[in-house]
Amino acid sequence: MRDGLGMEPQRLRCRAWDSKGPIAFQPIGHSDKPTDRGMGGPCTDWAEFAERLDWVLHTLPPATVQLMVPASEGYPFVWFSHSTFCRFFWGSGNYDPAGLGPEEFNRRMRALGLELDTARFGSGDWCSTAEYRAEYKPLLDGVAEGAIAVLRDIYGVGNPNELTVQAFGNIQGIDDLPYVARQLGIPEADA
């Protein structure tokens, strides 16, 4: 990095996590945590929200995060689930608050690599078809961008500050995750 890229250690950004979530580990460089990078307070920009969401998803312990859209027709949401053995899924509810109509709504969801799932989870939600992996050697490319496309282009959310978030553990020993709302820059949903 020093010779080939001309990088100095103080310019590096690092992120560290374990099976319980993000951890403080700073051998070199600077923390990649959004609030440590000056992204405190409410998030009002989709590009910044993509960076924040990417950090949350990469450092997520076995847990579920739901981004909730203000209730209109139904309760639109986008969800992410890191379950045991590094399995990671994401998807969304089967709601059309923007009024796209069934044909256009389904076309857009499938274009994002989502399929209507009634068998795997039995929920009737849309679920990712690609193979994603969390924890060790994470493979989450495109997840944050896909989720934002659902929220902005399919659900019609104009600004990330319209969202609320719920985050909770999927295994014993991991309860609520209040850091998620703080790092995303959006409020926690009412329980």
Side-chain angles (χ1 to χ4, degrees), residues 115-184:
E115 67 180 25
L116 191 56
D117 176 30
T118 55
R120 186 173 10 181
F121 296 115
S123 60
D125 292 343
W126 289 83
C127 186
S128 55
T129 57
E131 294 287 327
Y132 295 105
R133 184 176 59 244
E135 265 184 35
Y136 181 67
K137 293 186 179 181
L139 178 60
L140 300 171
D141 295 343
V143 173
E145 293 80 7
I148 289 170
V150 170
L151 292 164
R152 185 185 55 214
D153 304 334
I154 297 175
Y155 285 169
V157 177
N159 193 305
N161 68 1
E162 297 175 35
L163 303 171
T164 58
V165 63
Q166 290 179 327
F168 49 88
N170 290 340
I171 62 172
Q172 187 174 357
I174 299 176
D175 298 318
D176 293 339
L177 304 168
Y179 77 89
V180 170
R182 188 171 51 257
Q183 296 306 324
L184 289 177

Side-chain angles (χ1 to χ4, degrees), residues 48-111:
E48 180 181 311
F49 190 72
E51 286 185 55
R52 289 173 176 238
L53 182 58
D54 183 71
W55 183 89
V56 165
L57 297 178
H58 273 88
T59 62
L60 190 67
T64 296
V65 172
Q66 295 179 344
L67 300 175
M68 313 296 288
V69 175
S72 51
E73 289 181 38
Y75 294 93
F77 58 92
V78 172
W79 57 268
F80 311 91
S81 182
H82 171 191
S83 55
T84 55
F85 306 111
C86 303
R87 294 180 304 181
F88 185 94
F89 301 96
W90 77 279
S92 68
N94 192 17
Y95 302 102
D96 183 12
L100 299 172
E103 191 173 304
E104 180 63 12
F105 180 83
N106 292 345
R107 185 193 70 73
R108 289 186 186 194
M109 294 298 255
R110 286 191 179 101

